[in-house]
Amino acid sequence: MDASMMPMQGLSPQDQNKIMQKLNELQVTEMMNTYNGMVDRCFGECITSFRSKNLDEQETDCAKRCVQKSMAFQTRVGARFAEKNAAKAEAAQKAAQ
């Protein structure tokens, strides 16, 4: 069994479902906050004038670079989090033996 699920072993299936639903809701909320932050940051940095309804080439290139950098950053953070979480789970598993 996954070490992260061990604390839920003593809970009823209904309680486990409630907790998993709440975790999913929190994950969606966090994803939306991350996305909204990226949009705010990239818009603020890249969109400098409102002289037409279309973005000019410079604004488009800037927005693409900004989104790429933000996505690369989020990917890197996610990978580091997964590494730390795996190490923590491994340590907990060794301690339980």
Side-chain angles (χ1 to χ4, degrees):
M1 173 172 274
D2 185 353
S4 66
M5 298 299 288
M6 292 175 85
M8 291 180 53
Q9 283 179 331
L11 299 176
S12 71
Q14 291 170 331
D15 288 341
Q16 288 179 12
N17 262 351
K18 286 179 185 178
I19 290 172
M20 292 307 295
Q21 276 185 315
K22 187 62 176 173
L23 287 173
N24 287 335
E25 289 172 15
L26 290 171
Q27 186 176 21
V28 168
T29 300
E30 187 58 33
M31 274 183 7
M32 291 305 299
N33 287 338
T34 299
Y35 174 78
N36 289 334
M38 178 184 65
V39 169
D40 285 344
R41 185 173 44 259
C42 293
F43 184 88
E45 288 179 14
C46 298
I47 312 307
T48 56
S49 71
F50 297 96
R51 59 186 173 271
S52 77
K53 64 180 178 180
N54 297 322
L55 299 177
D56 64 26
E57 187 176 345
Q58 183 179 357
E59 291 172 330
T60 300
D61 290 343
C62 178
K64 284 179 182 178
R65 277 192 312 274
C66 182
V67 169
Q68 287 173 341
K69 285 182 180 182
S70 293
M71 295 300 292
F73 173 77
Q74 288 301 321
T75 300
R76 177 89 171 135
V77 168
R80 295 292 288 162
F81 179 77
E83 290 170 9
K84 296 286 185 182
N85 204 26
K88 185 178 177 182
E90 185 178 325
Q93 190 175 31
K94 283 181 183 178
Q97 292 176 350

